[in-house]
């Protein structure tokens, strides 16, 4: 990578053109054609977030987004991008996570043997589930639920209220009485909710 | 050997001499003399229109090139790239609940996290603030590589044109502009020092006005700035404060070439310091020592003292406190609105097609920035003088500041944002996160018992 800033800018532009054509192919496999215009925008956004021109993103770059910093669960969302404690996020991984939020393509016929596309309802639910389940044991324990509630409400309610909310939620959703919410129980409790609408982001152009 | 070169040497010297003379005569006639008298030959407008035609042609060529290869041209979009729901936190959460359990009750549901999750990811893809601190993207190409995103669509013809553009900009325009800049600044320092020797009185103010105007006009031509002033009947008068949105240090030159203002700023060292000291000899400007800047009381007192004296010029202030990229207006600092005098708002909007005026101080230093400015095609901008505003009954400084900000944003066609321009460098205050938590707790706990912290 070139040393001086103006050279690296030109370099990035040239790299971008080559990279995008390769990426198109990769992303097509992932999500059945992200429009190339959207991909260009995402790549520009990726570069804009990479303020020091490192070539990759780190958690601090996300923390610098003001609107994200004021989100109560911002740490968890950032954690969703940086899986397994890694501090480096390259562009394909960036796109892969964001691909969860593509609107579900209702017109595509479901092929029986192909794997679920990354933006299927099931995968969206898994993404939301993982926001709760930070230790990745496949269950949302009472402790994990309390932590999420605490970050969403913090000083606004008392500790007892938080605990009572957590207890009530587990009571309603926990069907096998193991004092934790498994993914299946999670999915069942959200059976009638329009997940596609709530967990999708639409591009304007 | 030497005698062989002699005649050529002489000829060369003569040619150089003649070209320099011609050059300087043209400079004097077409630029400096009009600057002194404040008239314009209209050459710059002609230049601007010609450039526009060339840019249109360049963009069409690129589009055609892209179509031939069956690819999409990258098009910019400064209004946001994703569709954001304008619904509030409460509405959204109720909606999710209602569609689920059919109750819409005020109880926590595991799906509530999805709202925050989506909002968070939306802000990762596109947020309002980050894009205000980098230069605006252009729809068409203006033959500057720094604004071109469609690199591989350029044909040979375009490359040739671009090369020609580089030659003209760096070979002809840049030296011309640098000469003018030095002339303008040098004259300013010299004339204001001379005028400073006169005793205070009408003659001095009159001369100082003329000197300031002339030098700023030369500087305007040094940047090839093509400025359109609207509504000049609202120009700021003595005993008031002029506020404007801030995009670059050039804003000062643009406003000061049409009217006389008292500047406010920190005392600098070096060349800036020399200019500041010279300027203050001819007419009173307000320069603060670095230590005084922190003392808000002192600052306010000096400003109000200046404003109270109606023989002194109106003060020019940029309440945003930092440079924003001219697509929006950010939070105005309330200091200048507490003084309680008439405020004259001014909106400045740059046309980015000819040269990006925004100073990204975290990326470029001042010299680099000036070099960019002087090697662009031109700086084209519009200045609107808005009717004067005063603080109304029962309005505090912050509300007044927001009212002025909204008026400026509306007139200049800029987005009106509540965010603080200081966010360029600082972290978001926790108070914003608490606001979100407060809103969410209201949905859960309801309006019954008020447990939220005040």
């Amino acid at each position: 990578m070139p040393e001086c800033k103006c050279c690296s800018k030109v370099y990035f532009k040239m790299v971008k053109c080559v990279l995008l054509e390769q990426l198109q192919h990769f992303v097509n496999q992932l999500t059945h054609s992200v429009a190339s215009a959207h991909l260009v925008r995402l790549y520009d956004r990726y570069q804009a977030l990479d303020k020091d021109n490192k070539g990759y993103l780190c958690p601090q770059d996300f923390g610098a987004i003001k609107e994200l910093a004021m989100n109560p669960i911002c740490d968890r969302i950032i954690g969703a991008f940086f899986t397994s404690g890694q501090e480096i996020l390259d562009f394909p991984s960036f796109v892969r996570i964001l691909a969860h939020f593509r609107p579900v393509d209702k017109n595509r016929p479901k092929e029986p043997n192909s794997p679920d596309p990354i933006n299927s309802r099931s995968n969206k639910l898994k993404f939301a589930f993982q926001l709760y389940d930070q230790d990745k044991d496949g269950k949302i324990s009472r402790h994990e639920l309390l932590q999420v509630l605490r970050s969403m409400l913090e000083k606004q309610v008392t500790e007892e209220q938080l605990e009572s909310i957590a207890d009530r939620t587990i009571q309603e959703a926990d069907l096998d009485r193991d004092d934790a919410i498994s993914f299946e129980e999670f999915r069942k409790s959200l059976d009638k909710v329009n997940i596609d609408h709530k967990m999708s982001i639409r591009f304007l152009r | 050997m030497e005698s062989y070169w002699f005649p050529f040497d002489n000829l060369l010297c003569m040619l150089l001499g003649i070209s320099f003379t011609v050059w300087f005569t043209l400079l004097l006639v077409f630029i400096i003399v009009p600057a002194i008298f404040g008239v314009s030959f209209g050459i710059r407008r002609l230049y601007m229109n010609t450039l526009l035609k060339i840019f249109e042609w360049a963009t069409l060529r690129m589009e055609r090139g892209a179509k031939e290869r069956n690819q999409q041209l990258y098009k910019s979009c400064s209004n946001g790239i994703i569709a954001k729901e304008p619904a509030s936190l409460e509405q959204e959460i109720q909606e999710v609940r209602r569609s689920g359990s059919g109750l819409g009750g005020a109880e926590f549901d595991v799906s509530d996290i999805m709202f925050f999750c989506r909002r968070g990811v939306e802000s990762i893809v596109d947020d309002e603030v980050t894009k205000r601190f980098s230069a605006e993207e252009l729809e068409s190409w203006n033959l500057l590589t720094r604004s071109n995103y469609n690199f591989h669509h350029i044909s040979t013809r375009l490359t040739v044109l671009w090369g020609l553009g580089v030659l003209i900009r760096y070979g002809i325009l840049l030296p011309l502009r640098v000469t003018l800049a030095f002339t303008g600044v040098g004259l300013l320092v010299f004339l204001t020092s001379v005028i400073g020797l006169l005793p205070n009185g009408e003659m001095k103010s009159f001369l100082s006005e003329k000197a300031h105007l002339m030098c700023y006009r030369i500087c305007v031509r040094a940047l090839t700035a093509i400025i359109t002033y609207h509504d000049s009947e609202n120009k700021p008068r003595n005993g008031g404060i002029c506020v404007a949105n801030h995009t670059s240090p050039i804003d000062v030159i643009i406003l000061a070439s049409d009217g006389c203002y008292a500047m406010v700023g920190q005392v600098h060292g070096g060349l800036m310091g020399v200019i500041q000291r010279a300027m203050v000899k001819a007419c009173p400007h307000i320069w603060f020592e670095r230590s005084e800047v922190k003392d808000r009381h002192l600052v306010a007192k000096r400003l109000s003292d200046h404003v109270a004296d109606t023989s002194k010029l109106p003060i020019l202030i940029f309440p945003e406190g930092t440079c924003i990229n001219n697509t929006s207006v950010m939070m105005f600092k309330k200091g200048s609105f507490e003084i309680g005098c008439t405020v004259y708002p001014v909106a400045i909007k740059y046309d980015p097609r000819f040269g990006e005026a925004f100073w990204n101080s975290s990326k470029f230093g001042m010299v680099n920035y000036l070099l960019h400015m002087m090697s662009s095609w031109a700086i084209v901008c519009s200045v609107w003088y808005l009717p004067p505003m005063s603080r109304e009954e029962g309005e505090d400084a912050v509300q007044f500041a927001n009212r002025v900000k909204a008026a400026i944003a509306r007139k200049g066609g800029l987005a009106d944002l509540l965010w603080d321009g200081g966010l360029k460098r600082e972290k978001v205050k926790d108070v914003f996160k608490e606001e979100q938590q407060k809103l969410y707790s209201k949905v859960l706990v309801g309006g019954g018992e008020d447990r939220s912290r005040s």
Side-chain angles (χ1 to χ4, degrees), chain A residues 13 36 40-41 44-45 66-67 69 71 132 151-152 154-156 161 165 192 198 202 204-205, chain B residues 74-76 80-83 99 108 110 116 118 123-125 127-128 145 423 434 437-438 451:
Chain A
K13 280 194 189 140
S36 58
V40 173
R41 293 201 195 302
D44 267 338
R45 178 66 177 173
K66 320 300 174 186
E67 284 172 21
N71 191 309
Y132 282 105
S151 37
M152 292 209 279
E154 201 133 3
K155 301 177 188 127
Q156 309 303 324
Q161 279 182 303
I165 295 176
K192 299 201 180 58
K198 290 304 147 190
R202 285 163 200 79
L204 275 180
R205 264 206 287 174
Chain B
Y74 176 77
K75 281 208 171 354
S76 77
I81 61 177
I82 51 179
S99 67
F108 173 75
V110 283
F116 288 110
R118 202 191 83 233
S123 63
I124 290 177
V125 178
D127 80 310
E128 279 300 310
T145 36
L423 283 177
E434 283 179 16
Q437 291 165 336
K438 238 185 244 182
R451 288 196 183 87

Side-chain angles (χ1 to χ4, degrees), chain A residues 83-94:
Chain A
T83 49
S84 46
Q86 272 201 318
E87 297 256 316
I88 293 183
L89 184 71
D90 61 6
F91 185 60
S93 316
F94 182 65

Side-chain angles (χ1 to χ4, degrees), chain B residues 181-310:
Chain B
F182 276 118
T183 319
V185 170
L187 263 179
L188 182 69
V189 172
F190 175 67
L191 284 175
T192 46
S193 309
V194 162
I195 292 173
L197 296 170
L198 292 172
N200 282 349
E202 267 221 32
M203 190 49 142
K204 184 176 183 184
S205 332
F206 175 72
L207 280 177
S208 124
E209 206 187 289
K210 292 293 167 222
H212 271 117
L213 278 176
M214 177 180 98
C215 296
Y216 281 121
R217 287 202 192 111
I218 297 181
C219 289
V220 157
R221 280 162 173 78
L223 294 164
T224 319
I226 304 169
I227 313 169
T228 318
Y229 296 98
H230 302 266
D231 306 328
S232 292
E233 68 268 11
N234 292 324
K235 242 194 259 198
R237 299 201 188 105
N238 287 6
I241 295 187
C242 174
V243 302
N245 59 314
H246 200 29
T247 305
S248 92
I250 293 179
D251 292 343
V252 173
I253 301 179
I254 289 185
L255 287 180
S257 61
D258 192 45
C260 282
Y261 299 94
M263 314 280 169
V264 178
Q266 253 187 29
V267 170
H268 285 100
L271 181 63
M272 268 310 295
V274 172
I275 301 176
Q276 282 179 329
R277 278 193 295 276
M279 279 169 71
V280 89
K281 283 185 198 146
C283 74
H285 297 283
I286 305 177
W287 306 125
F288 287 106
E289 298 292 331
R290 203 157 281 234
S291 50
E292 292 173 335
V293 171
K294 300 251 167 46
D295 186 352
R296 287 188 44 188
H297 206 63
L298 181 73
V299 170
K301 182 154 192 332
R302 274 185 76 174
L303 289 177
S304 28
D305 284 344
H306 184 111
V307 159
D309 184 351
T310 46

Side-chain angles (χ1 to χ4, degrees), chain A residues 12 45-57 61:
Chain A
F12 264 124
R45 178 66 177 173
Y46 178 81
Q47 277 192 297
L49 291 176
D50 180 14
K51 291 199 177 83
D52 308 322
N53 279 343
K54 304 184 289 292
Y56 57 86
L57 289 181
D61 292 321

Side-chain angles (χ1 to χ4, degrees), chain A residues 48-126:
Chain A
L49 291 176
D50 180 14
K51 291 199 177 83
D52 308 322
N53 279 343
K54 304 184 289 292
Y56 57 86
L57 289 181
C58 65
Q60 284 80 8
D61 292 321
F62 282 90
I65 304 174
K66 320 300 174 186
E67 284 172 21
L68 184 64
M70 71 177 211
N71 191 309
I73 54 166
C74 86
D75 294 325
R76 285 163 193 268
I77 297 175
I78 297 177
F81 282 85
F82 295 90
T83 49
S84 46
Q86 272 201 318
E87 297 256 316
I88 293 183
L89 184 71
D90 61 6
F91 185 60
S93 316
F94 182 65
V95 174
R96 187 184 287 121
I97 307 287
L98 289 180
H100 283 93
F101 290 84
R102 278 196 69 230
V104 171
D105 186 6
K106 298 189 180 70
N107 298 329
R108 201 178 50 81
K110 181 119 172 65
E111 287 132 43
N113 293 325
S114 66
D116 250 352
I118 206 167
N119 62 335
S120 71
R121 184 196 158 89
S122 173
N123 281 326
K124 285 186 206 278
L125 282 171
K126 268 201 198 118

